[in-house]
Amino acid sequence: MALSRRAFVQQMSALGALGASAYVAGYLRDGSTSTSSLTSPVPTGTGVSGRVVVIGGGMAGTSAAKYLRAWGGDKVQVTLVERSAAYTSNIMSNGVLTGQTGLSSLQYSWNVLRSTYGVTVVTAEARGVDAAAKKVSLSDGSTLAYDRLVMAPGIAFDPLPGLTAGDYDSRFPHAWQAGSQTTLLRNQLLAMPAGGTFVMTIPAAPYRCPPGPYERACLVADWLRRNKPGSKVVVLDANPKIMAEPNAFGYAFGTLYAGMLTYVPNAVIDHVDAATRTVYLVGGGSYRADVLNPIPPSRAGVVAQNAGLVTVGGRWAGVDVLSYESAAVPGVHVIGDATGTTMPKSGHMANTQAKVVADAISRLLSGRALDQAPATSSACYSPISMSTASWLTGVFQYDPATRTMKAVAVTEAPDISSGNYSDMSKWFSGLMGDTFK
Ligand SMILES: Cc1cc2nc3c(=O)[nH]c(=O)nc-3n(C[C@H](O)[C@H](O)[C@H](O)COP(=O)(O)OP(=O)(O)OC[C@H]3O[C@@H](n4cnc5c(N)ncnc54)[C@H](O)[C@@H]3O)c2cc1C
């Protein structure tokens, strides 16, 4: 079954992510488009029972914990382990840089997961996994036993040559994990002199949120144009071309911000000289910044690396996309940005992968066959300026021949508009509501 572009976009913009996700989820579970499971949060008498531990309370892990209860029922004991006291959404966090969004408005708790879905939420860091004994050890010294483990730790960053991890926190924020670095980058932009230069770097794909860096370049350019006349933006992209929404970003870079924004493809970084805030490229060329935003390469979160889950490109966790069970460690399922698949690393995708894993684990715990035709989807609204946006959607379906998820519909917005910009907040609140509420 293929979703038409029209149906997909209608779901996205009119109903928000809840409509689209429930549509895909209903399709995943029984081949229909029913959303009736959402009216009864935790069903009884499903015939499904077992202990599931979820590591990571971000977009992927929180959605998985919620839907394991919503679909698996009250005999599935779900424990969510999250090291932070609150989740800060990366999505919409570029708006913090322009002062349009407050960081506190991007914070979410797991209260509804606890109170409405009966998930046990433990605030601790998961330190290790004993896959033979089926136990997870935590930073508080305790251990949790599981029948199935869901790993959703997101990503870890590799500092660029010349920079230390500490440099990112104190001087050169990547802000690719929303939080204090986002505030630091905002403050650096506020303090930058008019006529200064903002330099950002983009790692080679795959990286978290394909349109995200280009969106940031556009927003910062628009803000600088309004607030710091004469300033420049330099985008050093390790990739050979714009990796998402080439029409919208190509127009923005070449026309909207012509004369103030320089886009440099194939910009592989040799090193960063922290003392002079200068980026040196392999093969020559250097760029001095007043404000430097070096987005580093990344890999699966540390706990996934340590558990032996990395099998793709030395960086990402390989999985069977019918169940998201690890290619290396039985009984451990990996979802979200930590995985190495054909699907993009996005919050929306993490939310739909979580639904596939919730369905798959419910089936495995009750001895039923896995769904052989899962589908996932992704949507990103991308601000092109402080008042207009574009969007990108993708629908992926299981391809039995390659045993991968194949893109069956990838669509870029036909125009850049203020209407898209206002649809963006509806989509965002739908997605976050479907994840955290
Ligand atoms: C600037 C920016 C803009 C973006 N815009 C969009 C967008 O418009 N649309 C979109 O769909 N996506 C967007 N994204 C991407 C999106 O944020 C990620 O793809 C998504 O957050 C991935 O979800 P995840 O659950 O895999 O990881 P995360 O959301 O990062 O969650 C991982 C969680 O695991 C926890 N954790 C890690 N290790 C441990 C451990 N050992 N023990 C306990 N807890 C642990 C972390 O604290 C974290 O809460 C954007 C990203 C950025 C940076």
Side-chain angles (χ1 to χ4, degrees):
M1 187 183 95
L3 281 177
S4 72
R5 175 194 161 276
R6 187 189 166 95
F8 188 83
V9 173
Q10 276 173 348
Q11 300 258 3
M12 289 296 149
S13 47
L15 301 177
L18 176 59
S21 304
Y23 184 94
V24 172
Y27 169 61
L28 291 172
R29 297 183 69 217
D30 58 13
S32 77
T33 57
S34 163
T35 59
S36 60
S37 62
L38 299 181
T39 57
S40 171
V42 182
T44 56
T46 60
V48 185
S49 63
R51 296 161 303 177
V52 183
V53 173
V54 180
I55 297 177
M59 299 303 295
T62 301
S63 309
K66 170 179 164 178
Y67 280 93
L68 274 160
R69 293 283 293 176
W71 293 345
D74 66 334
K75 297 291 184 292
V76 181
Q77 295 167 35
V78 180
T79 305
L80 177 69
V81 182
E82 167 57 50
R83 62 186 173 197
S84 302
Y87 180 70
T88 306
S89 169
N90 300 308
I91 307 174
M92 304 292 267
S93 68
N94 282 333
V96 175
L97 305 180
T98 57
Q100 292 174 287
T101 307
L103 198 62
S104 59
S105 73
L106 298 179
Q107 292 194 327
Y108 293 83
S109 80
W110 299 275
N111 289 344
V112 175
L113 230 58
R114 271 195 197 96
S115 60
T116 306
Y117 292 92
V119 172
T120 303
V121 181
V122 176
T123 307
E125 184 166 53
R127 290 273 165 82
V129 176
D130 181 341
K134 294 197 162 183
K135 283 186 177 157
V136 178
S137 53
L138 306 187
S139 51
D140 61 9
S142 64
T143 55
L144 292 170
Y146 65 82
D147 298 308
R148 293 273 160 185
L149 174 63
V150 178
M151 274 273 192
I155 56 175
F157 297 99
D158 291 342
L160 287 167
L163 297 181
T164 64
D167 287 332
Y168 288 96
D169 287 331
S170 59
R171 294 196 286 172
F172 305 118
H174 54 67
W176 217 239
Q177 183 73 56
S180 56
Q181 286 193 20
T182 316
T183 304
L184 178 59
L185 189 54
R186 161 76 177 156
N187 290 338
Q188 289 183 347
L189 285 166
L190 283 170
M192 189 174 103
T197 303
F198 172 80
V199 177
M200 64 182 289
T201 72
I202 304 176
Y207 58 85
R208 161 175 280 179
C209 192
Y214 309 107
E215 161 189 311
R216 176 175 289 178
C218 288
L219 277 174
V220 169
D222 195 18
W223 185 83
L224 289 175
R225 191 163 62 176
R226 295 165 192 242
N227 294 281
K228 307 274 176 177
S231 297
K232 306 274 187 208
V233 172
V234 176
V235 181
L236 302 176
D237 191 346
N239 299 289
K241 58 182 172 47
I242 295 171
M243 299 306 286
E245 298 176 67
N247 296 332
F249 292 120
Y251 165 76
F253 291 0
T255 305
L256 212 51
Y257 303 115
M260 75 170 294
L261 188 150
T262 305
Y263 174 70
V264 185
N266 295 308
V268 179
I269 290 154
D270 184 77
H271 71 283
V272 177
D273 181 349
T276 59
R277 294 194 298 273
T278 304
V279 181
Y280 290 86
L281 302 183
V282 171
S286 62
Y287 295 84
R288 203 196 72 77
D290 292 288
V291 172
L292 177 59
N293 175 218
I295 303 173
S298 54
R299 57 182 71 231
V302 173
V303 67
Q305 295 172 38
N306 293 345
L309 300 173
V310 171
T311 59
V312 177
R315 290 183 176 271
W316 309 110
V319 293
D320 170 359
V321 290
L322 287 180
S323 63
Y324 291 84
E325 188 158 4
S326 160
V329 184
V332 180
H333 303 249
V334 193
I335 50 174
D337 284 2
T339 56
T341 70
T342 52
M343 295 168 276
K345 297 182 190 303
S346 81
H348 197 122
M349 179 56 79
N351 170 279
T352 62
Q353 288 178 351
K355 289 168 182 165
V356 180
V357 93
D359 177 61
I361 289 176
S362 298
R363 288 167 185 259
L364 289 167
L365 290 177
S366 53
R368 288 177 293 140
L370 293 172
D371 182 351
Q372 296 298 309
T376 54
S377 61
S378 183
C380 285
Y381 279 85
S382 309
I384 301 297
S385 71
M386 289 171 66
S387 57
T388 60
S390 167
W391 50 253
L392 175 69
T393 61
V395 178
F396 292 74
Q397 285 182 331
Y398 184 66
D399 174 27
T402 57
R403 303 175 71 182
T404 62
M405 297 299 287
K406 200 168 173 182
V408 291
V410 176
T411 312
E412 185 179 339
D415 54 8
I416 297 164
S417 69
S418 52
N420 290 339
Y421 195 91
S422 51
D423 283 347
M424 179 168 68
S425 0
K426 290 182 221 155
W427 162 80
F428 177 64
S429 55
L431 175 62
M432 300 315 278
D434 189 43
T435 303
F436 285 90
K437 290 177 184 154

